[in-house]
Amino acid sequence: MLVKYDQYMQIIENSTVYDVIIVGSGAGGGMATKILSEAGLKVAVVEAGPFFDPADPEQMTQLKWPYESPRRGASTVRPFGDFDTAYGGWEIEGEPYTKEEGTDFLWFRSRMLGGRTNHWGRISLRFGPKDFKRKNHDGLGDNWPIGYEDVKPYYDKVDKLIGVFGTNEGLPNDPDGFFLPPPKPRLHELFYIKGARKSNIPVYPSRMSMLTKKINNDRGVCFYCGQCSRACQVYADFSAGTCLIFPAQKSGGQIDLFVNCMVREVTTDEEGRATGVSYINKEDRREYKLKGKVVVLAASACSSARILLNSKSSQHPNGLGNSSNIVGRYLHDSTGTNRMGFVPDLMNRKTYNEDGVGGMHVYTPWWLENEKLDFPRGYHIEMWGGLGMPSYGFGFNANDFNSFFGLPVGGYGNSLRKDVKKYYGSVIGLAGRGESIPQKDNYCEIDPTKVDEFGVPILKFNYKWTDHEIKQVKHMHDTFEEVIHNMGGEPLGGKPGKDTNYGILVPGEIIHEVGTTRMGDDKKTSVVNSHQQLHDAKNVFVVDAGPFVSQADKNPTWTILALSWRTSDYIVEQLKQQNI
Amino acid sequence: MDRRKSLKSILLGGVAGGLAVHGCSPKPENATEPVVEIKKYSYGRTPKEQKAIEKLLSETFFNEHEMNTLSTLCNLILPAEGELKGALDAEVPDFIEFMVKDIPEYQPTLRGGLMWLDHKCGTEFNLLFNAATEEQQKSILDGIAFPDISVPEAERPLEIQFFSLMRNLTLTGYYTSKLGIEELDYKGNSPNVWDGVPEDVLAQHGVSYDEEWLAKCVDQSKRGVLAEWDDDGKLIT
């Protein structure tokens, strides 16, 4: 049974000592909540946003029509459009951040139970053996202290618990798993397959966490509305609330949810061990304290770094876990750039329902060898297109493509209807998402001159791409143009040149930021050990993407989930052995 | 009655006591001055978002003359014709009134463009745009409706930017309305089971599925069967 959040809003000032306090309820926090509560531990989950359940009609956006929004889905308020589920964005009123001059970073936060898992793309890729040991291959950055073989058993368990469709292809660095069967490609995806293969670029069924087949009795099977970014009312896609926290509550876990509660710092005792957290209740704007034997940070890479840096004490004068001065450093996001193409062979389409799952049915994992290239690491290719539901922006520049046929552009009157119909579904979009090289000098730190509306010192970002990333996105654009031409299409909008760093998106825009509390065996150069445990405080763990030594050209969520599970098992074992 | 009320009354035929009364229906005997209800939107807003929407809906940007001119323009861009519904049927002017408050950057272009239309019409025909004949109106539009797309949009003359924006908003307003979606024949946004592109569509576009790929895809007749795998990750159900 789901309990409404307002029941959890009572002020906790009693002396309850939780076994574990988990800060954040996204992928990492959700998984920790499930594993730790099912081990019989008494758990507090502290979430900065409100309770959220996609099955609650008051919060639901799935299956709404564009005209149910007065702005027809425009992105004025929610950055991915009015129907997107994320409560938050790159800017949140009252919760600012700053940037060092000459550097850039965009910080996406989603304040709600389940965090960013409510609206993410559900692209669920395991890291491969090479991804954990990149330094061995190109001498750049650092290796992880663990390898694929350490994480594989947990990836397997995550596949089976949560459900991911895909196919076993036996690829060396894109491991097989326990997949549900993928959906058939859509029309534009068949064009992509044809176009990519012409250039020897491989294409495979995508790997995404939607249930194309039943996985248990608690979750529904995908009904192909294509709206996973709106969160699924039958729980057929993965989000931390619906797939981890609610089931953990249902199976009788001792879980107290504190929502609309923003953690300020981890409190510590005279020996430097964590004693709990202090948080601000957003409803009454007062500060409270919770006591716990173990603190698990899962607030997102940058939020967890912020909490640690703000947790200063005489034992940890530099911030908790920061004797190394590494907290906040090695911040890195995926590289990214996008291109669209007009494909004349996709004009004049008959309509039918091809919504499919929310996102692509096929994709291209990284396929080249770097020895022959002028940049390290790689990228995967995502694509979109098709007969989508109109929303704000549909019909803009309705007949610009007339220019390709020497016909007049613009005009007015009923000929516009024919143009709209003629070109509906004829555009394909390609996106590259690649691996950057983590840099010590790319970091977030506390800006001591400013606080948020809750009085908590805020983050200041320092981030610059290097030539490695810029050359990589140049390659993406060369590839995109080639594939679009292979499809008989025309790339749109001009190819970005050197003056714009080849169209590389701003760090943070891909929302794969990781690395701020990185993992390592040496406490001088890392923040957590291979169990995501702080070197400086044994009863504090970080289970978001902060511990990532390097962010592969994959999406981080599946690895966050696997590592959080692995760490949770370790916590249970360590508590049993009374080591923490 | 304020301007908004009068517009609403035209569209809805008056709203009394929360009851929509159609234009052709007789007025209830004790009908008082029609009270306008602000349209309710319910689609999973947070309380803060809901308040912001209500605030925008309660405000008025365009004055009555501007709104009338805007409506004339919407109707020229997408008129009803035969079976086909037009921009006014889909209440596109109201949508534009909302958007100009939601995205205030549009305000100078739209308001300035409407002024330009009257100025131009005054210069040419000594008439307000709305008072001109359709032929006269179109003669003015012909000068601004065909942008040179080799010139970046921001560098085009204001009146051309204005008309492009009006056309964009009119089309997007229409095709995101119930009427427009029906006309477009968009068939999704409803529960279904995706099982591939129809054969005739594949044939029309000259593509096909390869058997090897199809063999990997979901057998929709077994979608309700609980997934089980062997130890190697092969699905066995």
Side-chain angles (χ1 to χ4, degrees):
Chain A
M1 190 191 73
L2 304 177
V3 184
K4 286 288 181 194
Y5 73 88
D6 50 7
Q7 288 178 252
Y8 290 108
M9 290 314 302
Q10 296 142 14
I11 297 160
I12 305 288
E13 288 175 314
N14 63 35
S15 56
T16 304
V17 179
Y18 290 95
D19 292 318
V20 187
I21 298 170
I22 299 167
V23 181
S25 63
M31 182 60 86
T33 302
K34 178 160 171 45
I35 303 304
L36 296 171
S37 70
E38 287 180 356
L41 299 175
K42 187 166 175 57
V43 173
V45 180
V46 193
E47 164 56 48
F51 185 84
F52 177 75
D53 178 359
D56 178 355
E58 292 293 314
Q59 297 182 304
M60 199 182 289
T61 57
Q62 192 185 27
L63 296 179
K64 301 287 182 188
W65 292 97
Y67 46 82
E68 293 180 73
S69 151
R71 55 177 70 88
R72 310 289 169 89
S75 59
T76 328
V77 176
R78 300 190 186 188
F80 290 99
D82 229 13
F83 297 103
D84 185 85
T85 292
Y87 296 170
W90 284 288
E91 304 291 336
I92 296 179
E93 203 184 330
E95 299 183 38
Y97 54 91
T98 57
K99 300 170 211 181
E100 180 63 41
E101 214 181 311
T103 80
D104 209 355
F105 190 80
L106 290 167
W107 187 22
F108 193 102
R109 291 153 291 169
S110 183
R111 300 292 193 215
M112 62 203 302
L113 190 79
R116 293 182 285 193
T117 65
N118 291 301
H119 86 127
W120 68 302
R122 272 79 175 187
I123 301 171
S124 304
L125 305 173
R126 296 178 179 212
F127 283 20
K130 270 176 131 179
D131 295 324
F132 291 96
K133 304 290 174 192
R134 283 288 175 190
K135 190 180 184 181
N136 289 351
H137 296 274
D138 60 21
L140 297 168
D142 283 294
N143 290 331
W144 290 59
I146 54 174
Y148 178 68
E149 63 286 357
D150 296 304
V151 193
K152 180 186 184 298
Y154 289 96
Y155 281 133
D156 289 351
K157 293 205 278 188
V158 172
D159 285 359
K160 289 176 185 171
L161 174 72
I162 289 172
V164 49
F165 71 74
T167 47
N168 288 334
E169 302 286 349
L171 300 171
N173 199 44
D174 300 275
D176 292 347
F178 291 81
F179 291 115
L180 300 169
K184 291 175 187 170
R186 305 176 179 92
L187 185 65
H188 68 275
E189 290 164 337
L190 291 173
F191 274 75
Y192 174 77
I193 294 170
K194 202 171 72 169
R197 284 182 174 170
K198 205 168 169 184
S199 293
N200 291 318
I201 297 169
V203 190
Y204 299 99
S206 58
R207 299 174 175 184
M208 318 247 289
S209 47
M210 297 93 173
L211 303 186
T212 53
K213 191 172 168 69
K214 192 171 168 173
I215 197 164
N216 60 38
N217 292 323
D218 295 328
R219 293 174 57 198
V221 179
C222 178
F223 56 75
Y224 301 101
C225 70
Q227 298 171 18
C228 299
S229 62
R230 302 186 183 194
C232 185
Q233 58 189 285
V234 304
Y235 306 167
D237 58 12
F238 169 67
S239 71
T242 59
C243 301
L244 297 170
I245 295 175
F246 299 166
Q249 289 177 314
K250 198 175 167 186
S251 58
Q254 304 176 74
I255 303 164
D256 286 347
L257 281 183
F258 294 79
V259 293
N260 285 320
C261 293
M262 174 100 148
V263 168
R264 180 191 175 98
E265 62 185 50
V266 177
T267 52
T268 49
D269 62 16
E270 285 152 9
E271 286 152 26
R273 286 169 50 90
T275 55
V277 301
S278 81
Y279 67 88
I280 290 95
N281 180 332
K282 288 180 170 178
E283 305 287 308
D284 66 8
R285 301 180 47 79
R286 287 180 56 190
E287 198 169 328
Y288 297 90
K289 282 186 178 175
L290 282 181
K291 291 180 204 161
K293 294 176 195 161
V294 173
V295 173
V296 173
L297 295 177
S300 81
C302 296
S303 283
S304 290
R306 179 184 176 204
I307 291 166
L308 289 171
L309 292 170
N310 276 328
S311 304
K312 288 183 180 168
S313 61
S314 52
Q315 287 74 28
H316 304 284
N318 215 12
L320 181 58
N322 196 30
S323 61
S324 57
N325 267 321
I326 296 295
V327 173
R329 291 196 174 268
Y330 297 99
L331 167 64
H332 60 294
D333 186 22
S334 296
T335 62
T337 195
N338 310 319
R339 194 78 190 272
M340 292 193 287
F342 162 54
V343 182
D345 284 348
L346 285 171
M347 286 168 58
N348 301 311
R349 297 188 57 175
K350 283 179 190 159
T351 61
Y352 55 95
N353 184 347
E354 67 164 11
D355 285 347
V357 303
M360 65 208 188
H361 293 184
V362 311
Y363 90 121
T364 293
W366 177 236
W367 70 103
L368 294 172
E369 296 298 330
N370 292 93
E371 288 73 17
K372 296 168 191 161
L373 301 165
D374 66 350
F375 60 89
R377 317 289 164 98
Y379 57 90
H380 72 255
I381 303 174
E382 306 172 5
M383 88 288 312
W384 58 264
L387 301 167
M389 177 158 50
S391 72
Y392 186 79
F394 183 95
F396 275 30
N397 308 322
N399 59 14
D400 271 14
F401 299 156
N402 279 355
S403 62
F404 292 117
F405 304 99
L407 297 167
V409 169
Y412 54 92
N414 279 321
S415 65
L416 292 173
R417 295 179 201 265
K418 293 192 186 86
D419 293 333
V420 166
K421 193 82 179 146
K422 182 165 68 177
Y423 296 120
Y424 179 37
S426 65
V427 172
I428 187 162
L430 301 180
R433 299 291 181 256
E435 178 169 2
S436 63
I437 307 294
Q439 306 289 328
K440 193 176 181 185
D441 288 338
N442 285 339
Y443 60 97
C444 57
E445 62 184 336
I446 297 297
D447 182 341
T449 68
K450 290 183 180 64
V451 296
D452 65 13
E453 67 168 303
F454 310 107
V456 184
I458 65 168
L459 284 180
K460 179 176 186 176
F461 290 93
N462 302 253
Y463 199 127
K464 279 183 183 171
W465 291 123
T466 72
D467 276 352
H468 295 315
E469 290 80 33
I470 290 163
K471 284 178 179 164
Q472 192 189 67
V473 299
K474 180 177 186 293
H475 191 272
M476 291 181 193
H477 276 288
D478 293 341
T479 306
F480 297 162
E481 288 210 337
E482 192 173 318
V483 172
I484 291 167
H485 284 134
N486 290 347
M487 288 188 271
E490 293 282 348
L492 298 171
K495 190 176 187 174
K498 198 169 187 306
D499 54 322
T500 58
N501 285 334
Y502 303 101
I504 192 168
L505 294 169
V506 172
E509 267 195 279
I510 310 300
I511 324 183
H512 292 170
E513 73 281 1
V514 306
T516 49
T517 54
R518 72 175 193 158
M519 185 188 286
D521 292 330
D522 182 350
K523 64 181 287 185
K524 291 198 188 71
T525 57
S526 61
V527 178
V528 297
N529 65 20
S530 58
H531 295 287
Q532 308 197 105
Q533 180 178 31
L534 286 192
H535 291 303
D536 296 348
K538 295 292 173 204
N539 64 341
V540 180
F541 296 81
V542 186
V543 299
D544 50 39
F548 283 33
V549 178
S550 57
Q551 155 60 3
D553 58 76
K554 316 285 170 65
N555 304 54
T557 305
W558 228 240
T559 302
I560 295 173
L561 290 165
L563 290 178
S564 178
W565 195 330
R566 182 171 175 270
T567 292
S568 298
D569 279 356
Y570 179 76
I571 292 171
V572 172
E573 180 199 305
Q574 292 294 298
L575 280 171
K576 267 188 203 152
Q577 295 175 5
Q578 299 187 315
N579 288 340
I580 49 174
Chain B
M1 204 195 295
D2 69 19
R3 195 260 331 168
R4 172 160 292 278
K5 284 177 184 167
S6 68
L7 263 180
K8 286 278 181 184
S9 305
I10 293 160
L11 289 167
L12 293 179
V15 181
L19 194 77
V21 181
H22 296 284
C24 54
S25 310
K27 276 194 167 191
E29 275 177 32
N30 57 352
T32 51
E33 178 77 357
V35 178
V36 168
E37 283 192 330
I38 288 178
K39 202 168 169 183
K40 289 271 186 278
Y41 289 93
S42 173
Y43 61 111
R45 293 307 84 188
T46 64
K48 195 174 160 188
E49 288 170 335
Q50 189 65 36
K51 253 186 217 159
I53 285 175
E54 281 161 16
K55 182 169 179 287
L56 288 181
L57 287 168
S58 72
E59 292 167 358
T60 302
F61 180 76
F62 291 118
N63 66 32
E64 189 168 351
H65 173 66
E66 288 169 329
M67 204 60 183
N68 289 336
T69 310
L70 190 88
S71 300
T72 302
L73 209 46
C74 286
N75 193 46
L76 287 165
I77 291 168
L78 211 61
E81 189 183 294
E83 301 266 291
L84 297 171
K85 303 290 184 185
L88 296 184
D89 299 311
E91 299 180 23
V92 169
D94 281 356
F95 161 70
I96 297 176
E97 161 74 17
F98 183 87
M99 290 314 299
V100 80
K101 293 176 296 197
D102 196 44
I103 306 180
E105 292 77 13
Y106 289 163
Q107 289 175 5
T109 306
L110 290 181
R111 179 160 269 168
L114 291 169
M115 290 294 289
W116 181 91
L117 273 187
D118 276 341
H119 170 76
K120 181 74 175 170
C121 211
T123 308
E124 302 272 324
F125 311 114
N126 199 25
L127 287 169
L128 288 171
F129 184 77
N130 257 345
T133 64
E134 194 174 307
E135 197 182 336
Q136 289 169 327
Q137 289 169 341
K138 286 182 171 176
S139 75
I140 289 172
L141 297 193
D142 287 338
I144 58 175
F146 298 91
D148 175 357
I149 61 166
S150 66
V151 178
E153 189 165 359
E155 293 168 26
R156 297 174 199 160
L158 180 277
E159 60 271 23
I160 290 180
Q161 289 185 49
F162 160 71
F163 191 79
S164 294
L165 179 58
M166 273 303 300
R167 183 175 46 231
N168 283 347
L169 289 171
T170 302
L171 289 178
T172 215
Y174 182 72
Y175 285 104
T176 55
S177 75
K178 199 163 190 288
L179 296 174
I181 288 169
E182 275 167 20
E183 183 188 316
L184 188 68
D185 207 21
Y186 165 71
K187 292 208 167 77
N189 198 31
S190 59
N192 74 107
V193 176
W194 165 256
D195 204 20
V197 182
E199 281 299 329
D200 60 326
V201 174
L202 291 173
Q204 183 197 339
H205 295 278
V207 284
S208 58
Y209 284 112
D210 65 52
E211 287 306 318
E212 196 191 339
W213 193 299
L214 279 190
K216 298 171 180 175
C217 292
V218 58
D219 173 354
Q220 295 293 15
S221 71
K222 291 176 17 187
R223 62 191 246 105
V225 182
L226 203 67
E228 287 174 45
W229 298 266
D230 67 14
D231 290 345
D232 298 324
K234 189 173 185 300
L235 188 74
I236 53 175
T237 55

